[in-house]
Amino acid sequence: MRHLLNVLNSVRASTARRWRGSMTRTGRVQPAEPLRLFDCEGDAACRLVREALTELDLDAIILPCPDGGHRYANELENLSGSRTPPFLIDLDTDREAQGAEAILTYLFEHYADRPVPAALTASSANLAQSARASRIRGNAGRTVRRSQPARQLLTLYSFESSPYSRPVRERLCELELGYRLINLGKQQLADVGPAKLHLTLKPYRPLPGTKRAAFFARHGNVQVPYLEDPNTDTALFESADILAYLDRAYGG
Ligand SMILES: N[C@@H](CCC(=O)N[C@@H](CS)C(=O)NCC(=O)O)C(=O)O
């Protein structure tokens, strides 16, 4: 029951940001080296960057920098002179960008060849909506919790507005666990809906040649969140089970 309320509250947060970070393009070629994003899940500016990553169908290594954290924040300070995310590194182009506005401009220029769409810019209206989403979430994913470090990065399949995935990303951030974020944004009407009720009358099929299609070939459906942890050889569906696992394996 508590988890259901958490997910319903997460739906409200996605609604506050008008469900940006849901739909994505097809045909994106990922950079050879994944983007690296110093991020704080509960931060308004960072949310805008993650929405853009979903909509551009870009994956990234997420290096969580919650308030009071040190595991990645020290590296962030060395690189950027500040402990405040977001900060993006693109090893493919040797470019770095600090702050949502610079990052969004870079991502859209380089990966989409167009200006940032109005609904995703770091405008005061979008930042205010995003801050509202964080408040709705009670600022979850904002402040560090005691945790044990992980030797290797975890992998999370998600997309930004996913109400079930958000609590998992919040916990990964609070526990300062770095992870490969694989974005499985929606690319057609049939992708819409919960995993057990895709919006189609025919058997569900993702668009061919996409990351969704690769996921479908492995698992027989598309459902996020899905977590892989190479440190313990664990792979899990179900947001409640993933949260319990993270607390058990890494909670301090
Ligand atoms: N009971 C699952 C529900 C997961 C779920 O339905 N996730 C949605 C996204 S929020 C999904 O995978 N939808 C299907 C899709 O995106 O193709 C959980 O708690 O993780």
Side-chain angles (χ1 to χ4, degrees):
M1 182 64 180
R2 212 164 127 238
H3 186 63
L4 178 65
L5 292 176
N6 188 3
V7 172
L8 289 175
N9 175 274
S10 181
V11 168
R12 282 184 57 216
S14 296
T15 305
R17 256 311 275 155
R18 315 281 195 265
W19 294 89
R20 297 311 303 210
S22 299
M23 300 307 291
T24 195
R25 301 173 129 210
T26 54
R28 157 82 44 229
V29 176
Q30 298 296 321
E33 284 293 327
L35 298 167
R36 295 171 73 80
L37 179 68
F38 291 84
D39 171 69
C40 175
E41 177 67 32
D43 177 74
C46 291
R47 179 176 293 104
L48 300 183
V49 173
R50 295 192 311 269
E51 288 168 354
L53 290 179
T54 291
E55 296 198 15
L56 292 169
D57 199 22
L58 288 167
D59 301 334
I61 291 177
I62 302 292
L63 306 165
C65 299
D67 292 351
H70 59 86
R71 209 166 281 149
Y72 295 106
N74 292 348
E75 186 185 342
L76 171 60
E77 188 169 24
N78 289 338
L79 285 166
S80 74
S82 154
R83 298 178 78 81
T84 308
F87 183 77
L88 181 89
I89 304 178
D90 187 339
L91 293 170
D92 261 21
T93 57
D94 226 3
R95 288 278 301 272
E96 296 177 352
Q98 184 159 24
E101 190 173 339
I103 296 173
L104 290 164
T105 304
Y106 170 70
L107 287 176
F108 275 89
E109 247 172 33
H110 187 74
Y111 289 101
D113 213 10
R114 63 189 161 107
V116 187
L120 289 182
T121 56
S123 66
S124 44
N126 291 337
L127 283 166
Q129 280 178 6
S130 185
R132 177 148 187 274
S134 296
R135 279 197 305 278
I136 288 170
R137 293 299 293 152
N139 288 316
R142 170 101 234 177
T143 306
V144 72
R145 292 186 189 212
R146 275 164 61 95
S147 67
Q148 309 302 321
R151 268 186 305 108
Q152 300 177 68
L153 294 171
L154 283 65
T155 297
L156 180 72
Y157 291 79
S158 169
F159 59 88
E160 179 53 30
S161 70
S162 161
Y164 287 99
S165 303
R166 180 175 291 112
V168 171
R169 296 195 312 262
E170 289 167 349
R171 193 64 53 83
L172 287 166
C173 183
E174 291 168 359
L175 296 172
E176 294 184 280
L177 296 169
Y179 59 101
R180 289 172 209 285
L181 172 68
I182 313 289
N183 273 312
L184 296 184
K186 297 181 186 280
Q187 298 171 316
Q188 54 168 346
L189 204 56
D191 294 340
V192 174
K196 291 198 166 53
L197 206 69
H198 280 109
L199 199 60
T200 172
L201 296 174
K202 300 189 206 141
Y204 171 65
R205 286 274 178 280
L207 293 180
T210 61
K211 284 184 283 173
R212 278 185 162 260
F215 191 95
F216 185 88
R218 272 180 71 195
H219 301 287
N221 196 6
V222 176
Q223 173 170 324
V224 297
Y226 176 66
L227 182 88
E228 291 172 339
D229 185 349
N231 300 288
T232 59
D233 256 331
T234 300
L236 279 177
F237 284 105
E238 293 301 327
S239 48
D241 294 346
I242 297 173
L243 290 171
Y245 166 75
L246 290 174
D247 285 347
R248 217 169 40 242
Y250 297 106

